[in-house]
């Protein structure tokens, strides 16, 4: 390594150097320095010769002050402590070295000195760049960190406003923060906001999942924060990214169920708009790239194909970033999202892109190699043309960003008009090592070959010097040119190296260059940094005569061209001038000449969008009418022409066009007709007998368009599609024999159509376009699921087909294959399988533990279907296999668990195992008092509340089945009894249903006569409800009166008269649930009031508005129901009865209105709407009773009732059209449920508006409550008594709570069992913490920490002893002074009794009672003190911790039955196994 010499040697060196520069040199001066490791991350402090690079191998940083000639290790950063180096993007004096732990360093003098700073208990985050900078104040920096306990990491952002002299926490649970003023161009137009406004993407209020991420903003470092309204007056959830681009701030949001993104843009940090793309283009996750943009627009490339054969479309926005128009299609991208796109630096409007010529073939298969062509635009992407080389008829094509071979920009630098690139002439771009170096000095208009073979290249002295080095192999020569690349010379480097980096100052004004190269390989590698100095190559400095006026853009005729209202030109050195500019660090000065305004100087005005051909601007919605105008529809007014001058465009209107001049408009065009207050309907008939299946493909909040898409299959195998919710239907795939429709379980836009052959058709845009692929085998014949989907990778598929099943072959079996590119190619997973499934989950936020490639398969041992079924797993497509269980019935994935039903050792019964990480399983311990000799059937009901609800069949007599619901702890391994006698049917369905949208509320039907049912008596069912996640169950409180105001007469024991509802086992479609996730607190059901549940056809229809606490009878008879507009509309239609009408309610079922939808009676079999229940349209499915044969759908459209969207103000939630509703437990006086009071948004009854965009109904968790009995359930080996207490089961011992010490290395202590355990989802604090009322012990090996935690000082001990006695004495004295012999009264100044012999004994007794009452307090105090000193405990152990979501499958309901096997298709909410 070259080190600094002593001072006198340095003086000699300087003198020698001075002598050298006095005369013209024949070649540049080259100096080299050898390093032990390859230098990386090299950067210049702008406008200086000071350079920094890092040695990643040894963790050191090096600095040079003379453009790389001499180097020193930065001593202020200790040896080996560097992890990364970051340069301040807006300040050429500041840089930052991140340490490997909590200590870091910064410089504010270009690396001369470094100041240490520490962030305690936090390390730089691995999920995003560690720094965000303020563009106006370099002392303000945000640093993104993480605090981790094992794999559980919390992101925390800190800030400094004084160069890290002080550091403060900004906010926890961040997902990236930025100053609004993150670029010099961005401004809020408010100095205070520019100074302090910060945006952060943060975790959801009560959810860690990305779908609930929020954007928040603060002007006082998050002492206060607000959520900006991005979509009209609504906030937006699911924010996944944020970036500041030139003068724009862009955030991306993604909703659950789609990979489509919504981009929201602001140019002032106050007003936001959603970006709209012409041509029905979608922006999808990991499929868009924000490119280097202009000062007046954003440029985005949107991927339109598979990632492995990526191509895109280039779009450019208008000046406020809201409307994007297409520039060019089929742009070349790579898998990492890099796009072959670059602007020519320093010149407005010139862009080079690479496009794919054979795009049609590439779209069909990834096996076709892309044929790339290079195009150039001189007008900001409006028109593109090919590159031309002098005297060559063929076009020129250049390697670009996706094939980078040097640092920095690819083609250009600030040197005016000088452009270089590696490529070839011909029809298409050839491989890099077949390319040559080409040069242009007119910004890409004309080109010539500068050097044979591929070279790295760089520009210096504003283009006076071009430098290049051979890049295909090793070389000892460096080439250079001083005449714009027309002629070249070489200089010997003294070493034969492979060039790694060739660079110079960012402004390309220097005559000095740095080259990094490597010699040799492996352990013998040598690494060199060369300093190349051209300073002495010319004797003189350029004068005025050596410069030419050069226009940056010319039109097709070679004349200067206008852009943004002006022509752009430079005075630059002539190519043949024998001089250097030698104005180091002085950027070339651009100059302008104004132009007259032309069409290109105008864009669409606000509230106007470009037409499809881009020739006109059309209204995007209601136009704004000037105040006082349009009082009558026949009036006219002067309004926008639809155009405006592009902000920043400085064209001269005199003599030019004036497209922004106001025009006269008709008021009829802008005054929208009011809603007619009516409902409409549309009937469509089909020539078929039955609807076989139908599926909604619902748009999410981030999806574009306004369609309501439904795809339906009839019994005639005909496929129909509607995009308007059934108003019009179109038959599709007429020539295809479709056997089944497979909607993607995790992406709402995707659907697959399976035929009887290997041909599979699919759509990724809700049926608007159809494509196909070839499967590896025909669909299986074993009634197994043919397609399985990955929750996060949309294109990953598992296909289960048949093998050896043709003709007379007897070895027919099922085979599983995998594709990671949507069927383009397939790889074999396993033979002889029954089911294969991805285990990675859609909502998992713990990315490190999310095993993306983990697959479980059920496979017959030794590939013999007569053998046992084993559960095998793999993370490498079964190159290696792990056998988890050798004899299973089936497995089910739930929201947080994997549950496996395996055969027990006796082969007569089953056992349950559970896993929360997909790799490690633990035996499930059933309640000891729960004795089922031969467990033969399980149904996994739910696991959405951090615990598994498992139904174990107890009575298995056919048609008389029932069982017990048991509930697990938070890792699914220890179960307690929740409820006995719960009804199920022969197929394994259980009468159990969670109330959607509310925590811990569920209803069941129980068999009240289990003993008689075992003997063949008909089941007598009762409906019960829990409000605390299964800890307590109660009968439904019946209404007092029916809908006709008749008294039900239920004044006696509720056991003899309660409300009962028909449940899951009697449901024709599992999707028809009591409740809706968006209609919070509302439930509808059919049943009766009485001692038992009666016949369904004799039932009536009931409704609750408070989550099942109270009910009302709303209709006599049995009705089907559906919720719409998030519960603001409820529609009822008679079930299995000819009818002409429906009934609807707009006030949560308080009143009902009849609507006739047909003249002829129809029998309606189902009523449906979008799965979120957020639409104002519904579909009836049925047939006419008489007359026309066939089946029919009826669209009911309620959107005509109102056109006003409800107003929601999150800061003042009850000021608009909403109220805050609090659910409650029926036996509690307050509204505490699961340890907190929650508030939900509900539309005010009576307001005439619609909800529209889906609301985040949970507004706030007001506070945590004190713990009560309702926050606890009975612990393992304990059972609930009639009085609600938990008692140890006779003959059993309490469980060993010391196990927590082994499970969690952070735990210091554990409590002995009390009989109670906390419900996993409760958040209660203090109060009756029933699990902490027993003795506490230190964990083995942690006695010292335990003692420190509970040590007590002498003075504290004194007060612990004295205070109870003093308190007791005070109470006794007070009683003696105030007691008058009468209880229940408070003495108000009466005299003593006058009988001392009575008074004093009373006083004595009072004191005695008070002291005795205080003794437990005293004893407890002493005992806590003693244990604190000698190894006891007084604090609480950690609660049952919740696991991150592991297995959030689409089926929340699974059953295990060793006789039935797979009983449900993929459509059901239950997975019966």
């Amino acid at each position: 390594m070259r080190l600094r010499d002593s001072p006198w040697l340095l003086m000699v060196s300087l003198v020698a150097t001075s002598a050298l520069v006095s005369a013209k040199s024949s070649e540049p001066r080259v100096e080299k320095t050898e390093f032990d490791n390859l230098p990386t991350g090299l950067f210049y402090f702008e406008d200086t010769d000071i350079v920094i690079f890092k040695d990643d191998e040894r963790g050191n940083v090096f600095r040079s002050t003379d453009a790389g000639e001499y180097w020193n290790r930065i001593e202020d950063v200790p040896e080996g402590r560097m992890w990364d180096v970051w340069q301040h993007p807006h300040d050429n004096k500041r840089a930052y070295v991140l340490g490997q732990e909590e200590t870091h360093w910064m410089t504010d003098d270009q690396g001369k000195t470094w100041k240490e700073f520490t962030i305690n208990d936090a390390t730089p985050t691995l999920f995003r760049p560690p720094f965000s900078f303020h563009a106006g104040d370099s002392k303000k920096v945000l640093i993104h960190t993480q605090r981790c306990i094992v794999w559980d990491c919390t992101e925390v952002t800190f800030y400094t406003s004084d160069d890290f002299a002080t550091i403060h926490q900004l906010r926890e649970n961040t997902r990236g923060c930025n100053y609004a003023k993150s670029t010099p161009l961005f401004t809020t137009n408010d100095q205070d906001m520019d100074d302090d406004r910060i945006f952060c993407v943060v975790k959801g209020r009560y959810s860690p999942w990305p779908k609930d991420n929020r954007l928040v903003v603060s002007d006082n470092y998050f002492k206060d924060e607000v959520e900006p309204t991005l979509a009209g007056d609504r906030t937006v959830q699911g924010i996944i990214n944020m970036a500041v681009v030139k003068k724009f701030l862009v955030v991306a949001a993604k909703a659950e169920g789609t990979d489509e993104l919504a981009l929201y843009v602001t140019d002032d940090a106050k007003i936001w708009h959603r970006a709209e793309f012409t041509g029905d283009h979608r922006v999808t996750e990991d499929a868009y790239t924000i490119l280097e943009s202009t000062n007046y627009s954003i440029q985005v490339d949107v991927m339109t194909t598979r990632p492995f054969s990526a191509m895109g479309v280039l779009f450019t926005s208008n000046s406020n970033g809201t409307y994007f128009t297409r520039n060019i299609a089929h742009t070349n991208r790579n898998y990492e999202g890099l796009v072959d796109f670059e602007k020519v630096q320093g010149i407005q409007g010139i862009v080079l892109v690479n496009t794919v010529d054979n795009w049609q073939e590439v779209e069909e298969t990834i096996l076709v190699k892309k044929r790339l062509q290079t195009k150039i635009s001189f007008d900001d992407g409006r028109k593109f043309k090919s590159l031309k080389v002098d005297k060559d008829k063929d076009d020129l094509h250049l390697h670009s960003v996706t094939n980078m071979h040097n640092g920095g920009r690819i083609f250009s630098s600030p040197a005016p008009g000088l452009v270089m690139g590696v490529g070839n002439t011909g029809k298409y771009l050839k491989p890099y090592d077949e390319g040559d170096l080409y040069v242009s000095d007119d910004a890409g208009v004309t080109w010539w070959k500068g050097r044979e073979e591929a070279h790295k290249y760089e520009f210096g002295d504003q283009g006076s010097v071009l430098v290049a080095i051979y890049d295909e192999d090793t070389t000892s020569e460096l080439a250079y040119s001083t005449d714009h690349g027309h002629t070249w010379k070489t200089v010997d480097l003294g070493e034969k190296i492979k060039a790694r980096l060739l660079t110079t100052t960012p402004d390309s004004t220097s005559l000095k260059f740095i080259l990094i190269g490597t010699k040799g390989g492996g352990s013998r590698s040598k690494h060199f940094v060369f300093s190349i100095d051209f300073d002495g190559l010319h004797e003189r400095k350029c004068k005025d005569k050596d410069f030419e006026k050069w226009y940056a853009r010319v039109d097709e005729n070679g004349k200067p061209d206008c852009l943004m209202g002006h022509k752009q030109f430079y005075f630059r050195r002539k190519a043949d001038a024998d001089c250097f500019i030698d104005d180091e660090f002085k950027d070339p000065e651009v100059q302008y000449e104004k132009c007259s305004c032309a069409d290109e100087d105008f864009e669409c005005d606000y509230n106007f969008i470009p037409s499809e051909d881009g020739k006109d601007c059309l209204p995007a919605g209601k136009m704004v009418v000037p105040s006082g105008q349009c009082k009558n529809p026949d009036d006219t007014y002067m309004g926008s022409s639809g155009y405006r001058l592009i902000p920043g465009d400085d064209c001269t209107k005199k003599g030019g066009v004036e497209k922004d001049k106001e025009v006269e408009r008709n008021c009829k065009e802008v005054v929208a007709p009011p809603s007619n207050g009516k409902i409409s309907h549309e009937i469509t008939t089909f020539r078929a007998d039955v609807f076989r299946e139908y599926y909604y493909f619902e748009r999410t909040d981030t999806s574009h368009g306004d369609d309501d898409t439904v795809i339906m299959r009839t019994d005639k195998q005909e496929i129909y599609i509607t995009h308007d919710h059934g108003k019009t239907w179109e038959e599709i795939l007429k020539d295809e024999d479709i056997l089944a429709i497979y909607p993607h379980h995790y992406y709402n836009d995707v659907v697959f159509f399976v035929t009887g052959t290997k041909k599979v058709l699919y759509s990724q845009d809700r049926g608007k376009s159809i494509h196909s692929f070839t499967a590896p085998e025909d669909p299986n014949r074993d009634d197994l699921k043919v397609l399985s989907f990955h929750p996060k990778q949309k294109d990953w598929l598992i296909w289960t087909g048949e093998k050896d099943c043709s003709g007379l072959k007897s070895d027919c079996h099922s085979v599983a294959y995998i594709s990671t590119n949507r069927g383009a190619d397939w790889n074999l997973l396993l033979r002889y399988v029954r089911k294969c499934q991805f285990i990675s989950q859609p909502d998992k936020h713990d990315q490190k533990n999310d095993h993306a490639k983990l697959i479980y398969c059920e496979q017959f041992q030794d590939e013999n279907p007569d053998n046992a079924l084993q559960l095998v797993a793999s993370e490498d497509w079964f190159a290696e296999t792990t056998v988890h269980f050798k004899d299973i019935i089936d497995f089910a994935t739930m929201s947080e668990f994997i549950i496996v039903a395996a055969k027990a050792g006796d082969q007569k019964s089953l056992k349950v195992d559970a896993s929360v990480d997909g790799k490690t399983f633990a035996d499930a311990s059933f309640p000891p008092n729960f004795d089922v000799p031969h467990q033969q059937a399980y149904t996994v009901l739910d696991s959405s509340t951090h615990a598994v609800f498992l139904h174990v069949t107890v009575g298995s007599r056919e048609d008389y089945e029932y069982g017990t619901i048991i509930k697990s702890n938070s890792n699914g391994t220890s179960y307690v009894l929740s409820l006995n006698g719960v009804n199920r049917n022969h197929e394994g369905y259980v009468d159990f249903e969670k109330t959607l949208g509310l925590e811990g509320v569920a209803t069941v039907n129980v068999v009240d006569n289990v003993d008689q049912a075992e003997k063949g008596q008909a089941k007598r069912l009762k409906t019960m409800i829990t409000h605390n996640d299964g800890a307590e169950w109660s009968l439904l409180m019946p209404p007092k009166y029916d809908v006709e105001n008749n008294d039900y007469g239920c004044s006696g024991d509720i056991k003899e008269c309660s409300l009962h509802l028909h449940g899951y086992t009697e449901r024709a479609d599992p999707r028809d649930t009591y409740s809706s996730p968006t209609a919070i607190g509302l439930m509808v059901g059919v049943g009766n009031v009485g001692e038992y549940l009666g016949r369904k056809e004799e039932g009536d229809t009931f409704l609750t508005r408070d989550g099942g606490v109270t009910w009302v009878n709303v209709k006599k008879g049995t009705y089907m129901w559906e919720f719409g507009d998030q519960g603001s509309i409820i529609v009822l239609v008679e079930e299995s009865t000819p009818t002409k009408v429906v009934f609807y309610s707009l006030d949560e079922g308080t009143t009902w209105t009849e609507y006739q939808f047909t003249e002829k009676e129809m029998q309606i079999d189902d009523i449906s709407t979008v799965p979120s229940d957020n639409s104002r349209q519904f579909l009836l499915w049925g047939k006419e009773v008489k007359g026309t044969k066939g089946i029919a759908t009826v669209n009911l459209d309620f959107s005509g009732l109102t056109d006003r969207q409800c107003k929601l103000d999150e800061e003042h939630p009850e000021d608009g059209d909403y109220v805050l509703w609090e659910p409650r437990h029926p036996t509690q006086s307050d509204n505490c449920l699961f340890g907190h009071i929650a508030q939900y948004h509900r539309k005010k009854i009576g307001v005439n508006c619609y909800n529209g965009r889906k609301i985040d109904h949970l507004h706030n968790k007001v506070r945590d409550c004190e713990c009560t009995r309702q926050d606890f359930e009975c612990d393992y080996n304990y059972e609930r008594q009639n009085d609600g207490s938990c008692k140890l089961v006779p003959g059993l011992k309490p469980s060993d709570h010391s196990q927590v010490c082994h499970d969690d290395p952070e735990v210091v202590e554990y409590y002995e069992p009390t009989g109670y355990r906390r419900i996993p989802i409760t958040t209660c604090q203090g109060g009756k913490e029933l699990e902490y009322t027993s003795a506490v012990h230190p964990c083995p090996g942690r006695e010292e920490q335990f003692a420190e935690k509970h040590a007590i000082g002498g003075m504290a001990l004194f007060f612990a002893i004295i205070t109870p006695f003093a308190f007791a004495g005070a109470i006794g004295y007070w009683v003696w002074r105030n007691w008058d012999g009468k209880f229940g009264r408070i003495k108000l100044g009466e005299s003593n009794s006058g009988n001392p012999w009575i008074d004093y004994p009373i006083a004595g007794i009072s004191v005695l009672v008070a002291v005795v009452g205080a003794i437990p307090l005293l004893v407890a105090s002493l005992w806590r003190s003693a244990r604190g000193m000698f190894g006891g405990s007084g604090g609480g152990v950690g609660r049952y911790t919740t696991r991150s979501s592991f297995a959030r499958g689409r089926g929340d309901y699974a059953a295990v039955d060793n006789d039935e096997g797979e009983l449900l298709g993929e459509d059901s909410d239950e997975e019966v196994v």
Side-chain angles (χ1 to χ4, degrees), residues 17 110 296 316 323 345 449 548 567 600 604 626 673 687 721 735 821 836 912 956 980 1135 1148 1313 1383:
T17 302
Q110 298 172 337
Y296 45 85
T316 299
Y323 298 114
Q345 192 172 0
K449 185 187 293 185
E548 62 180 351
K567 300 171 185 176
E600 293 79 11
C604 291
R687 292 185 177 180
I721 190 170
D735 299 326
N821 48 27
C836 286
V912 171
S956 56
N980 283 314
E1135 181 176 2
E1148 298 183 352
F1383 293 97

Side-chain angles (χ1 to χ4, degrees), residues 246 274 294 553 564 898 952 958 1034 1126 1264 1283 1304:
K246 294 295 178 77
R274 178 169 178 173
T294 69
R553 288 180 311 278
M564 289 296 289
I898 299 173
V952 183
E958 188 170 345
S1034 60
Q1126 304 177 57
D1264 286 333
D1283 62 358
D1304 188 348

Side-chain angles (χ1 to χ4, degrees), residues 241 250-253 261-265 272-277 283 288 290 298 300 302 321-322 324 702:
N241 210 345
V250 184
V251 298
L261 302 182
L263 298 184
Y264 295 93
V265 183
W272 295 80
H273 303 275
R274 178 169 178 173
E276 300 291 342
F277 291 79
V283 178
Y288 74 101
I290 298 179
I298 306 173
V300 176
V302 179
T322 56
F324 286 76
T702 60

